[in-house]
Amino acid sequence: MHALSIKDLWKTYPNGIEALKGIDLKVKAGDFFALLGPNGAGKTTAIGIVTSLVNKTSGDVKVFGHSIDSELEAAKAYIGVVPQELNLNQWDKVFNCVVNQAGFYGIRRREARQRTETVLRELQLWDRRGETARNLSGGMKRRLMIARALVHGPKLLILDEPTAGVDIEIRRSMWDYLRTINRNGTTIILTTHYLEEAENLCRHVAIIDDGVIVEDDRMSAVLRKLHQEVFVLNLRQAVDIAPKVNGFDVARINDHELEVEIHKDQDLNSLFSALSTAGVEVISMRNKTNRLEELFVRLIQRRENERDQEQVVEEFNL
Amino acid sequence: MDFQHQLIALDTIVTKECTRVLRIWIQTIVPPAITMTLYFIIFGNLIGRRIGEMGGFDYMQYMAPGSIMMSVITNSYGNVVSSFFAAKFQGHLQEMIVAPMANWVIVLGHVAGGVVRGMAVGLVVTIVALFFTPIEVQHPFIAVSMVILTAFVFSMGGMINAIFAKKFDDVAIIPSFVLGPLTYLGGVFYTISLLPDFWARLSTFNPILYMVNGLRYGMLGVSDISIVRAYVIILIFVVGLFWFCMYLLNRGVGIRE
């Protein structure tokens, strides 16, 4: 069973901009799915169509088998959404904000209150239940939006940049919470600009660029497509120049750090033994950038280059 | 969602809207009371004494139903237009759009808020009027039904305005340039029998004339127009505007990209 199934989805805005150009996407029930792409790629438009905030131009969207064309209300009942923009009623109290949302899903007030208490406690907002939304910090507002999206127990949770502007401690606690609800059976679709977040949380990833899906696979399979990685090595002793290591590009960052580019077919053992022979002692290492980020940037750059080339060819033909 | 769950959703919106009206009562209930007190003092007491009788009643008595209806119209319209536009502007209307509520629930929920405010203000203005003139309600059912139906019509008018509004200026244009003139020309302060033939006939195209006279008939037992005709016209507006609201929401006009 697919939690979300999108087929040949097109969206052209009245100003002529084609935000989506026939995308296909399938998200399995229970999955933790990342939908990534640069700004303006079409992520929010796709989410908007699924949640009925944006009218589609053509195509099919089904949520747990229910078409948004013929069974919109049934499809909506499965979805909880945390939009990118803060869209709380600033004058509503935290508690009422969540209780009302439950009411919109047809949950009786008594049960809505119990559910509200549960989600507010889980998201560490129970102590702030009597305050108006406008008095909350940015991170709390984000958590309140998550609480609001979860109060009716959705089977599909769509998070559009849920941790934007949230400090690292709260972000990590939100990750733990999202992992827990995913383990308990909620399918999650996440869009984020923090690619570390997507790599940490998601099992599947789709990358959208210029209204087209350019990558759609398991996270591990996508990461394997990364042909080279750049590592930063921390050294015990200072070095004045970068040591020459056969087959590797080594560059000096500072006295105690080196940068090495490793291709997919190379192994780290030979690098370390060569460094050891050269008298360089490595005490720790890390990826220079997040692997998914590296892949994402390369993929998007390649697409941009392809588009530039196509444009040159078109101009030349003209 | 089945019908029972839709009713729970409707109850949620109605409660939310009514709570809003009561929470900001200084803005929603008090100003009309002050305005109408001034109207009764200036037009009723000071100027009215010179006018004498109108339609067989003391002028203050005659203008009371019109003043009440004017408050109901302004406040029911203002309530929905401001509430719905604020929800749209702040983005929290999305809470409702993403939920599996039927569009009639969204319309009726907001309209109920407008009707409640209209009725509350109507009641307050009636109490204010009682300080100035005795009022004996001749046909209570007609009086109450006229107020409810009128509040219903203008709440839906407010909603349509809010759906189309893109900025705060758009919310103010209709009340200032359409609603105000139509209300004042709708026989609030006078009987159309005082007007020359052409203007009296032109006035019959103003729907507010039927609402004001409907309430006047309910309260005083006199009217410039037939009460049946008033009901028919108001009901046509109720059905027509409700259909138009539904049409706009179903198409996503002003609320979906």
Side-chain angles (χ1 to χ4, degrees):
Chain A
M1 167 67 92
H2 286 107
L4 178 66
S5 163
I6 294 177
K7 198 174 168 193
D8 196 25
L9 185 62
W10 288 79
K11 173 65 187 178
T12 307
Y13 284 102
N15 58 8
I17 290 175
E18 283 187 327
L20 297 176
K21 299 169 182 170
I23 65 166
D24 295 309
L25 203 62
K26 282 190 163 70
V27 179
K28 281 185 186 156
D31 204 353
F32 206 138
F33 192 98
L35 181 61
L36 308 177
N39 287 333
K43 307 182 295 288
T44 301
T45 299
I47 287 173
I49 291 171
V50 173
T51 55
S52 79
L53 292 170
V54 176
N55 286 328
K56 63 187 166 72
T57 303
S58 65
D60 295 317
V61 177
K62 285 182 180 169
V63 180
F64 284 97
H66 297 279
S67 166
I68 64 163
D69 294 320
S70 53
E71 303 165 280
L72 181 60
E73 285 174 19
K76 280 180 176 180
Y78 287 101
I79 303 174
V81 60
V82 179
Q84 196 179 111
E85 304 284 336
L86 290 172
N87 69 345
L88 298 163
N89 184 345
Q90 300 294 318
W91 306 100
D92 259 357
K93 290 194 172 151
V94 168
F95 190 79
N96 292 344
C97 201
V98 183
V99 168
N100 285 342
Q101 189 67 18
F104 298 154
Y105 282 81
I107 297 167
R108 285 183 193 286
R109 196 153 278 263
R110 182 181 288 183
E111 192 188 338
R113 286 194 175 126
Q114 287 165 353
R115 285 179 181 227
T116 299
E117 182 175 344
T118 305
V119 287
L120 287 182
R121 281 188 191 282
E122 283 172 353
L123 284 153
Q124 292 140 43
L125 285 169
W126 180 244
D127 293 341
R128 314 299 291 261
R129 64 189 179 279
E131 289 189 34
T132 52
R134 73 192 184 111
N135 288 332
L136 300 181
S137 68
M140 287 176 184
K141 284 178 183 167
R142 289 270 164 209
R143 280 183 282 153
L144 177 55
M145 284 166 65
I146 295 177
R148 197 179 59 175
L150 286 172
V151 70
H152 65 284
K155 288 177 81 177
L156 172 61
L157 179 64
I158 299 175
L159 303 159
D160 196 359
E161 305 202 20
T163 54
V166 172
D167 69 49
I168 189 69
E169 196 184 342
I170 292 172
R171 192 184 306 164
R172 284 179 191 275
S173 74
M174 279 165 74
W175 289 2
D176 290 340
Y177 184 64
L178 294 175
R179 277 196 195 99
T180 306
I181 59 171
N182 178 244
R183 267 199 302 272
N184 292 339
T186 306
T187 309
I188 300 179
I189 297 175
L190 170 77
T191 82
T192 179
H193 281 299
Y194 303 115
L195 300 190
E196 175 205 1
E197 184 167 274
E199 189 179 337
N200 262 300
L201 293 171
C202 302
R203 291 190 289 278
H204 275 92
V205 58
I207 298 176
I208 183 169
D209 181 38
D210 196 27
V212 178
I213 299 281
V214 292
E215 194 66 69
D216 181 7
D217 210 335
R218 292 186 64 81
M219 183 67 80
S220 52
V222 169
L223 290 173
R224 273 201 297 274
K225 290 177 188 170
L226 190 61
H227 293 290
Q228 60 218 43
E229 286 184 67
V230 179
F231 290 99
V232 173
L233 309 179
N234 292 303
L235 313 178
R236 190 173 297 280
Q237 280 105 22
V239 291
D240 296 330
I241 51 162
K244 285 200 169 23
V245 180
N246 208 13
F248 294 96
D249 293 330
V250 182
R252 180 178 171 277
I253 301 172
N254 56 46
D255 285 355
H256 285 87
E257 284 185 326
L258 295 176
E259 184 181 303
V260 190
E261 193 169 303
I262 309 232
H263 291 263
K264 204 177 168 183
D265 49 359
Q266 292 180 307
D267 63 76
L268 289 166
N269 289 342
S270 50
L271 170 71
F272 285 128
S273 57
L275 285 172
S276 181
T277 310
V280 177
E281 202 177 335
V282 178
I283 52 172
S284 67
M285 66 180 286
R286 61 184 161 84
N287 276 93
K288 187 181 180 189
T289 52
N290 169 267
R291 289 182 304 164
L292 185 60
E293 190 172 315
E294 190 72 37
L295 183 80
F296 179 82
V297 170
R298 283 167 199 253
L299 198 63
I300 298 303
Q301 272 173 354
R302 196 177 71 206
R303 294 253 318 151
E304 274 173 14
N305 292 341
E306 283 169 6
R307 278 199 294 271
D308 288 346
Q309 278 172 2
E310 279 169 18
Q311 202 174 350
V312 169
V313 170
E314 272 175 28
E315 282 171 12
F316 182 75
N317 286 340
L318 282 170
Chain B
M1 277 201 324
D2 59 23
F3 186 68
Q4 198 183 350
H5 289 101
Q6 298 286 1
L7 288 183
I8 293 170
L10 177 63
D11 174 54
T12 305
I13 302 181
V14 173
T15 308
K16 183 170 161 280
E17 288 300 302
C18 293
T19 308
R20 176 185 164 275
V21 172
L22 296 174
R23 192 183 65 214
I24 51 171
W25 63 274
I26 298 255
Q27 293 172 47
T28 53
I29 312 287
V30 176
I34 294 171
T35 309
M36 283 306 139
T37 306
L38 293 171
Y39 268 82
F40 282 116
I41 292 171
I42 296 164
F43 292 107
N45 209 355
L46 301 177
I47 299 172
R49 253 186 286 171
R50 293 170 182 241
I51 293 172
E53 283 195 350
M54 190 169 289
F57 290 87
D58 173 62
Y59 183 67
M60 191 106 76
Q61 260 184 326
Y62 188 83
M63 69 170 265
S67 306
I68 293 165
M69 200 51 111
M70 189 163 78
S71 310
V72 171
I73 289 169
T74 316
N75 284 279
S76 52
Y77 189 94
N79 194 70
V80 182
V81 76
S82 58
S83 169
F84 199 79
F85 182 71
K88 213 170 97 163
F89 189 76
Q90 288 186 27
H92 57 91
L93 182 65
Q94 289 179 1
E95 295 172 349
M96 292 179 221
I97 307 291
V98 299
M101 270 188 292
N103 284 334
W104 62 263
V105 173
I106 297 177
V107 175
L108 285 186
H110 284 87
V111 166
V115 171
V116 166
R117 177 164 158 191
M119 298 279 288
V121 169
L123 184 67
V124 169
V125 173
T126 307
I127 293 166
V128 169
L130 285 169
F131 282 103
F132 294 90
T133 182
I135 297 171
E136 205 175 300
V137 181
Q138 301 294 320
H139 309 286
F141 174 78
I142 293 176
V144 173
S145 63
M146 276 294 161
V147 170
I148 292 174
L149 288 171
T150 303
F152 209 89
V153 167
F154 284 95
S155 295
M156 287 190 291
M159 187 152 192
I160 292 165
N161 188 169
I163 286 171
F164 283 111
K166 289 193 170 80
K167 50 190 190 298
F168 280 100
D169 290 351
D170 300 340
V171 169
I173 285 172
I174 301 290
S176 305
F177 295 102
V178 181
L179 212 55
L182 281 181
T183 308
Y184 284 104
L185 296 171
V188 169
F189 297 109
Y190 59 85
T191 161
I192 58 166
S193 61
L194 294 176
L195 299 175
D197 241 18
F198 172 77
W199 293 107
R201 198 161 298 165
L202 193 67
S203 294
T204 59
F205 289 98
N206 180 356
I208 294 175
L209 179 80
Y210 298 89
M211 298 162 187
V212 169
N213 275 280
L215 181 62
R216 190 167 282 143
Y217 180 81
M219 291 176 78
L220 306 177
V222 295
S223 170
D224 288 338
I225 40 94
S226 127
I227 192 69
V228 175
R229 198 168 163 203
Y231 269 119
V232 169
I233 297 221
I234 294 169
L235 285 171
I236 287 171
F237 271 93
V238 168
V239 174
L241 291 178
F242 183 75
W243 174 84
F244 192 50
C245 279
M246 288 297 294
Y247 171 78
L248 294 174
L249 288 191
N250 288 339
R251 294 207 54 187
V253 176
I255 56 167
R256 281 205 296 263
E257 288 180 73

